[in-house]
Amino acid sequence: QRQMCIRDRIVTFSGGEKRVFDASVLTGSAFKPLEDDAIFSNFKIMHGVITWMNDEIDCAPEYIYEHSFEYEDNTSPIAM
């Protein structure tokens, strides 16, 4: 089983499936601003595509799915 790293993000797809996306694959000058966690965390979904910086940067859901792995939620709910 793969260990999660700092650039991993849990993503929920429209079908309800949760996967862990390794954001370190977003390389190159176009994605350089995403190295700033404040920018990376400030995203929106436009027509099913994740975007940052007023739609200047985007990433297709197919790419995110292909570069992600199954998320296993091992946490137990807290009983009250």
Side-chain angles (χ1 to χ4, degrees):
Q1 178 173 335
R2 183 182 175 281
Q3 294 289 329
M4 288 184 64
C5 70
I6 192 84
R7 298 296 292 171
D8 285 349
R9 303 289 192 225
I10 298 170
V11 179
T12 303
F13 289 88
S14 60
E17 181 181 4
K18 291 184 180 184
R19 295 181 64 85
V20 178
F21 173 61
D22 178 2
S24 69
V25 299
L26 300 176
T27 60
S29 60
F31 295 107
K32 187 82 172 154
L34 300 182
E35 292 177 4
D36 180 335
D37 273 341
I39 292 173
F40 189 86
S41 297
N42 188 18
F43 66 89
K44 62 183 174 180
I45 307 296
M46 294 294 296
H47 307 291
V49 177
I50 188 168
T51 68
W52 296 268
M53 297 178 58
N54 294 322
D55 306 334
E56 289 182 35
I57 302 172
D58 63 36
C59 189
E62 298 85 2
Y63 184 86
I64 293 174
Y65 193 89
E66 290 170 8
H67 293 86
S68 63
F69 58 94
E70 185 177 347
Y71 173 66
E72 295 179 21
D73 186 359
N74 296 327
T75 60
S76 300
I78 299 172
M80 299 295 241

